C-alpha cells in the first residue's frame, strides 16, 4: 500500500479526547479527518472536517465511512472485532485486527505476552465461582480479579485480600468472564509509549513514571528515574511486543517496576493499542508528539525524532480540576489542554497540563 499523502483522509474510530488530538495532529500535516462515533457530544467531532454518528454495529454506515477515507485508525481498544473486520476489508486498518483483538481481552493479552517469554503477573482465566476458588488456590492472595474486557480506570476490577469473600468478589463483577492476577508488589508504575511503521521502523519515547489517584492516571513524569538497564529492558519489551503484533501506529505498554535481587526489572501489566494518556507530555516535551508519530505511522510515513526536550511533568485535569483553567493560563510555562467536554463529572478527564523544565 502506498503512503497516504497530505490531502488524504484519516478515518478515526472513536470520538474522545484521544481522537480529538489525533485529528489536530493530522490537520497539522495537511490531512483531512473523518471521525466515526455513536456518542452525540464527542470531543473529536469539534475538530474533524467530517463525522459520522452511527453505531459500531451499523454495517452500512461503516462501509460508507470506509469508502470516504484512505486509512482507518482507532482511539480506543473496545472497538468490536466485527467492526474492525468490516473496516479492514475495505481500507488499511492500523493498528490491525490482530493487535486489537489481542489487547482488548486481558486473558488473550497476558497469554500473548507470556508466550513471548516476557514477565507478567501470574494469571488464570476465570469463568465462574468454582474457577475463582481454584485460581486463588494456585495464585494465592492478595490477587486482583478483573473482567477480561471493557475495564478501564480501575472499573471492572476487585482486589481480593486475605479476608475478602471470593463469592462477593465474583458477584461484584456480575458474572463477566474474568482473569485472576497475582498482586505485584511494585516500586513504581511505568509505561513505554512507542511507534512502529509498516516497514518495521520502531521509535520509543523515554520511559514514563505514572502515578494514579482513585485508579485514574494523575501524573506522568519523565525521566522516570529508574536505572538505565531497567529503561532499556522496558523499551526492548515494548519493541518485541510491537514486532510480534506486526503493529502499526503508536502503542503504550504499561508495566510494573519491581526489584529482584537488588535490580530493577519490568513486569507487563497491559498493552494499549493506541495513543495513551501517559504520552500526552510528548506534545510539548518531545521533538515529535505521540499523536504526530501515530499519524506518520498509520499513513505510511517515516517516524519523527522521539527525543525529549527537558524534564517533563504532565498532570491530568479530572472533573472540577479543570475549573482552574484561568489560573493555569496565567502560569508561565504551563501548557494547558482542554478537551471541550461540557460537563465536569467526577472522574472525567477534562484536560491536562504539561510543564517542561530545563533538561537535566
Ligand atoms: P489496570 O486496569 O490493569 O491498568 O489496573 C489498574 C491499576 O490497578 C494499575 O495501574 C495498578 O495500580 C493496579 N493493579 C492492576 N493489576 C495489578 C496487579 N496484578 N498487581 C498490583 N497492582 C495491580
Amino acid at each position: 500500500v502506498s503512503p497516504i499523502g497530505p490531502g488524504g483522509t484519516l478515518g478515526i474510530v472513536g470520538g474522545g479526547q484521544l481522537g480529538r488530538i489525533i485529528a489536530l495532529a493530522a490537520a497539522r500535516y495537511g490531512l483531512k479527518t473523518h471521525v466515526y462515533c455513536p456518542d452525540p457530544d464527542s470531543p473529536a467531532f469539534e475538530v474533524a472536517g467530517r463525522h459520522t454518528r452511527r453505531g459500531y454495529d451499523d454495517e452500512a454506515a461503516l462501509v460508507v465511512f470506509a469508502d470516504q477515507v484512505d486509512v482507518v485508525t482507532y482511539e480506543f481498544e473496545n472497538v468490536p472485532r466485527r467492526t474492525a473486520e468490516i473496516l479492514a476489508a475495505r481500507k488499511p486498518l492500523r493498528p490491525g485486527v490482530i493487535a486489537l483483538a489481542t489487547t482488548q481481552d486481558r486473558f488473550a493479552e497476558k497469554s500473548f505476552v507470556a508466550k513471548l517469554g516476557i514477565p507478567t503477573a501470574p494469571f488464570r482465566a476465570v469463568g465462574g465461582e468454582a474457577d475463582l476458588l481454584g485460581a486463588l488456590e494456585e495464585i494465592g492472595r492478595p490477587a486482583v480479579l478483573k473482567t477480561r474486557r471493557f475495564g478501564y480506570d480501575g472499573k471492572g476490577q476487585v482486589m481480593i485480600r486475605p479476608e475478602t469473600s471470593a463469592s462477593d468478589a465474583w458477584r461484584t463483577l456480575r458474572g463477566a468472564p474474568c482473569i485472576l492476577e497475582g498482586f505485584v508488589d511494585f516500586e513504581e508504575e511505568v509505561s513505554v509509549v512507542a511507534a512502529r511503521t509498516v516497514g518495521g521502523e520502531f521509535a520509543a519515547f523515554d520511559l514514563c513514571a505514572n502515578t494514579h489517584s482513585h485508579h485514574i492516571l494523575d501524573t506522568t513524569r519523565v525521566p522516570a528515574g529508574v536505572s538505565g538497564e531497567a529503561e532499556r529492558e522496558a523499551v526492548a519489551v515494548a519493541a518485541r511486543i510491537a514486532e510480534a503484533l506486526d503493529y502499526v501506529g503508536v502503542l503504550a505498554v504499561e508495566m510494573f517496576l519491581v526489584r529482584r535481587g537488588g535490580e530493577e526489572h519490568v513486569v507487563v501489566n497491559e498493552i494499549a493499542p493506541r495513543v495513551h494518556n501517559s504520552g500526552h507530555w510528548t506534545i510539548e516535551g518531545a521533538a515529535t508528539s505521540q499523536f504526530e508519530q501515530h499519524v506518520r505511522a498509520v499513513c505510511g510515513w517515516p517516524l519523527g525524532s522521539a527525543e525529549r526536550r527537558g524534564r517533563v511533568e504532565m498532570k491530568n485535569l479530572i472533573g472540577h480540576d479543570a475549573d482552574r483553567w484561568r489560573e493555569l493560563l496565567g502560569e508561565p510555562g504551563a501548557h494547558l489542554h482542554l478537551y471541550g467536554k461540557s460537563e465536569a463529572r467526577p472522574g472525567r478527564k477534562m484536560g491536562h497540563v504539561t510543564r517542561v523544565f530545563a533538561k537535566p
Side-chain angles (χ1 to χ4, degrees):
V1 191
S2 51
I4 287 63
T9 302
L10 171 63
I12 303 169
V13 180
Q17 64 269 16
L18 301 178
R20 177 182 172 103
I21 316 177
I22 293 170
L24 292 170
R28 172 184 175 166
Y29 286 140
L31 291 156
K32 297 180 171 64
T33 50
H34 186 156
V35 172
Y36 190 108
C37 184
D39 307 326
D41 47 1
S42 295
F45 287 172
E46 302 287 330
V47 302
R50 301 192 67 169
H51 72 261
T52 298
R53 212 197 119 206
R54 300 293 282 270
Y56 293 127
D57 57 354
D58 187 333
E59 188 156 349
L62 289 166
V63 168
V64 171
F65 167 72
D67 286 347
Q68 292 175 342
V69 303
D70 297 300
V71 58
V72 184
T73 191
Y74 44 90
E75 58 112 51
F76 75 117
E77 57 272 42
N78 293 321
V79 175
R81 185 186 180 130
R82 174 85 190 118
T83 305
E85 285 169 346
I86 292 167
L87 296 169
R90 283 161 182 85
K91 288 290 155 68
L93 176 75
R94 295 174 178 159
V97 174
I98 299 294
L100 177 73
T102 307
T103 56
Q104 68 184 195
D105 175 332
R106 290 183 192 274
F107 182 69
E109 176 179 72
K110 285 222 161 59
S111 304
F112 159 78
V113 172
K115 246 188 219 143
L116 293 177
I118 296 168
T120 66
F123 64 95
R124 296 285 183 279
V126 171
E129 213 178 306
D131 278 357
L132 176 57
L133 293 173
L136 279 169
E137 282 292 310
E138 291 182 72
I139 286 175
R141 299 171 182 235
V144 189
L145 184 67
K146 303 177 179 180
T147 57
R148 285 174 61 156
R149 299 166 66 95
F150 305 119
Y152 70 99
D153 290 347
K155 292 187 176 68
Q157 62 175 271
V158 278
M159 195 47 189
I160 304 189
R161 298 173 202 281
E163 69 281 5
T164 307
S165 137
S167 1
D168 286 354
W170 176 248
R171 275 196 300 271
T172 309
L173 300 182
R174 301 162 188 271
C178 281
I179 177 174
L180 183 76
E181 296 180 7
F183 183 81
V184 178
D185 187 16
F186 59 82
E187 305 215 310
E188 234 180 309
E189 294 192 70
V190 296
S191 56
V192 176
V193 179
R196 187 173 180 275
T197 65
V198 179
E201 185 194 351
F202 177 87
F205 294 102
D206 285 358
L207 190 71
C208 317
N210 304 316
T211 52
H212 296 82
S213 167
H214 307 289
H215 291 287
I216 301 170
L217 180 66
D218 177 65
T219 307
T220 296
R221 291 186 183 84
V222 196
V226 311
S227 69
E229 294 85 73
E231 177 146 357
R232 280 190 289 278
E233 181 179 301
V235 171
V237 158
R240 274 172 57 212
I241 288 173
E243 177 87 37
L245 290 171
D246 196 18
Y247 197 89
V248 179
V250 164
L251 86 169
V253 184
E254 296 181 48
M255 306 175 191
F256 300 125
L257 189 80
V258 297
R259 190 167 286 281
R260 267 200 314 266
E263 285 175 10
E264 293 172 327
H265 291 283
V266 294
V267 170
V268 168
N269 179 35
E270 68 178 339
I271 305 163
R274 53 171 169 81
V275 291
H276 194 257
N277 196 167
S278 68
H280 287 1
W281 64 271
T282 60
I283 298 174
E284 293 86 9
T288 310
S289 78
Q290 64 163 346
F291 300 96
E292 293 170 88
Q293 268 324 38
H294 187 68
V295 171
R296 284 166 173 254
V298 303
C299 288
W301 301 355
L303 299 178
S305 159
E307 197 185 336
R308 184 164 49 82
R309 289 181 162 146
R311 181 171 70 78
V312 195
E313 201 177 288
M314 186 288 308
K315 197 162 171 27
N316 269 339
L317 301 173
I318 307 291
H320 286 287
D321 292 350
D323 297 349
R324 293 175 49 222
W325 62 273
R326 262 181 197 286
E327 182 193 326
L328 291 165
L329 283 177
E331 182 190 322
H335 301 281
L336 176 67
H337 295 257
L338 296 171
Y339 306 146
K341 297 182 184 177
S342 46
E343 203 193 333
R345 289 195 292 272
R348 197 170 195 209
K349 291 174 178 167
M350 302 298 291
H352 71 268
V353 58
T354 301
R355 299 174 175 93
V356 184
F357 306 94
K359 208 158 185 170

